[in-house]
């Protein structure tokens, strides 16, 4: 059974790799040459991906062992189902709030709010209290919505308004992020398995491993993205 599963995984990985390579070639033929030839754009793109990919990595780390963590805490199937419903419902219901927050707080501050909320979500996994875990699911739903809105909103605003790069270059950045995201998903799953099973740290270990990643993400957003905004402000004043 396991052999079949591993063979299927290898085949799917090979198929995904082939599709990604063909998509990258098609992207290069369209708009990538002009974008890749611009050093200012590449520098800005790398700056964005440095923070965004850390956020995605922290998100992927938590997925594989969520159900097993609840089983480890001896919750019933019906109780686990309610926890999942709270997470999914909060993600949907708080989506309008996640869309409004970048306008109210600012895009970069909302990215920092994501890091704080997701860190709190991870820390709730240390508790066996059912209501604390429900709170964690609500925070997780909010964080998922913020991840899907705040980071991209910051990038698009800086890309168009601050740097005045061509709009046609935006897909190149998100295509690169999507390519990295696939690898991060696989790597995070293997890392979570290494921590929880091979090292015997238990199902809460992947959630704790996500905390320093979120800390690094917040540091990049606070320092590097903040410095990028300050430099742009100084140029405008001059």
């Amino acid at each position: 059974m396991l052999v079949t599963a591993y063979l299927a995984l290898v085949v799917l990985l090979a198929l995904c790799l082939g599709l990604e390579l063909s998509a990258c070639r098609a992207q290069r033929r369209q708009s990538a040459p002009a974008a890749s030839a611009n050093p200012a754009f590449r520098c800005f793109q790398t700056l964005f991906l440095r923070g965004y990919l850390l956020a995605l990595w922290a998100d992927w780390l938590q997925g594989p062992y969520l159900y097993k963590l609840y089983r480890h805490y001896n919750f019933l199937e019906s109780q686990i189902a309610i926890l999942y419903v709270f997470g999914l419902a909060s993600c949907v219901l708080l989506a309008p709030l996640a869309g409004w927050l970048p306008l109210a707080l600012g895009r970069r501050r909302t990215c920092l709010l994501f890091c704080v909320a997701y860190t709190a979500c991870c820390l709730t996994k240390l508790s066996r209290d059912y209501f604390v875990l429900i709170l964690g699911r609500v925070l997780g739903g909010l964080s998922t919505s913020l991840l899907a809105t705040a980071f991209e909103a910051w990038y698009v605003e800086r890309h168009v308004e601050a740097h005045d790069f061509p709009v046609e270059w935006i897909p190149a950045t998100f295509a690169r992020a999507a390519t990295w995201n696939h690898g991060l998903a696989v790597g995070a799953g293997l890392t979570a398995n290494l921590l929880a099973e091979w090292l015997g740290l238990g199902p809460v270990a992947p959630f704790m491993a996500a905390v320093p990643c979120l800390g690094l993400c917040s540091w990049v957003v606070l320092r590097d993205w903040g410095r990028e905004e300050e430099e742009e402000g100084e140029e405008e004043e001059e």
Side-chain angles (χ1 to χ4, degrees):
M1 188 69 178
L2 285 175
V3 174
T4 305
Y6 284 126
L7 286 175
L9 176 63
V10 170
V11 171
L12 290 173
L13 285 174
L15 179 62
C16 288
L17 180 61
L19 291 173
E20 283 295 332
L21 288 175
S22 58
C24 287
R25 286 177 190 145
Q27 184 69 25
R28 288 195 194 98
R29 293 192 197 102
Q30 293 174 5
S31 61
S36 61
N38 189 306
F41 170 73
R42 291 303 301 270
C43 182
F44 173 63
Q45 184 187 67
T46 302
L47 176 70
F48 166 71
L49 291 176
R50 197 183 305 154
Y52 186 47
L53 294 180
L54 278 169
L56 291 174
W57 173 260
D59 183 52
W60 282 118
L61 273 176
Q62 302 174 53
Y65 280 86
L66 183 61
Y67 175 81
K68 190 164 185 178
L69 176 70
Y70 295 147
R71 291 296 298 167
H72 178 72
Y73 288 161
N74 296 319
F75 288 117
L76 301 175
E77 293 288 339
S78 58
Q79 293 175 308
I80 296 175
I82 291 172
L83 287 169
Y84 271 90
V85 167
F86 265 96
L88 295 172
S90 62
C91 183
V92 173
L93 295 175
L94 296 175
L97 177 64
W100 172 78
L101 281 173
L103 300 175
L105 297 179
R107 295 164 181 83
R108 187 166 64 92
R109 286 190 186 129
T110 307
C111 293
L112 289 172
L113 177 62
F114 158 82
C115 295
V116 173
Y118 226 1
T119 299
C121 171
C122 293
L123 294 177
T124 60
K125 302 301 186 294
L126 293 170
S127 174
R128 293 175 179 263
D129 186 274
Y130 191 69
F131 293 102
V132 173
L133 293 173
I134 286 178
L135 175 61
R137 292 297 290 160
V138 173
L139 290 171
L142 173 62
S143 303
T144 301
S145 296
L146 292 176
L147 178 61
T149 55
F151 286 84
E152 294 180 7
W154 183 87
Y155 175 79
V156 172
E157 191 270 337
R158 301 297 299 173
H159 180 105
V160 176
E161 301 295 334
H163 293 281
D164 197 26
F165 293 132
V167 177
E168 294 78 13
W169 292 1
I170 292 177
T173 297
F174 291 123
R176 189 178 173 191
T179 301
W180 274 99
N181 191 33
H182 299 158
L184 290 177
V186 176
L190 294 174
T191 302
N193 181 258
L194 172 67
L195 294 171
E197 306 294 342
W198 293 9
L199 297 181
L201 299 178
V204 76
F207 298 93
M208 296 302 100
V211 172
C213 298
L214 291 166
L216 286 174
C217 178
S218 64
W219 177 252
V220 171
V221 171
L222 186 64
R223 189 192 67 168
D224 296 345
W225 291 15
R227 184 183 301 162
E228 203 272 343
E229 292 182 358
E230 289 174 1
E231 289 175 355
E232 187 65 28
E234 291 174 359
E235 291 178 2
E236 289 179 357
E237 290 178 0
E238 292 175 0

